[in-house]
Amino acid sequence: MKRFAENSPINQNSRIENILSLLELKDRLICSVPEDINMIDYKVVNKILEKLRSESHQFLKQALDID
């Protein structure tokens, strides 16, 4: 669900939208109460998360010059 109104000065919806987009779950953003919700295939989500974690670890290793 969106946490704040779009015009709110403390709007953090873009963070939620970004992570949902990265995990291919953007259709899960709820703006109103839906009649039904499809199940999430967590195998797909976990595979994407693992790839993103690996990329983050590689970035940090290079940024910190750790091998």
Side-chain angles (χ1 to χ4, degrees):
M1 294 197 77
K2 290 193 174 191
R3 294 180 57 189
F4 302 101
E6 292 294 331
N7 59 355
S8 171
I10 57 172
N11 181 336
Q12 296 176 353
N13 295 334
S14 64
R15 292 180 184 181
I16 295 168
E17 291 168 359
N18 187 23
I19 192 71
L20 289 175
S21 180
L22 284 172
L23 298 175
E24 299 178 8
L25 295 172
K26 193 143 184 173
D27 64 324
R28 305 303 287 192
L29 183 62
I30 300 172
C31 299
S32 63
V33 179
E35 291 185 25
D36 64 337
I37 298 176
N38 297 330
M39 298 300 292
I40 296 173
D41 183 354
Y42 284 102
K43 289 179 184 177
V44 172
V45 173
N46 288 332
K47 185 175 179 180
I48 295 168
L49 276 172
E50 184 57 38
K51 179 179 180 263
L52 292 170
R53 281 188 195 111
S54 178
E55 290 172 0
S56 294
H57 286 151
Q58 281 301 110
F59 173 82
L60 289 172
K61 285 180 182 180
Q62 289 177 346
L64 299 172
D65 198 25
I66 299 173
D67 287 318

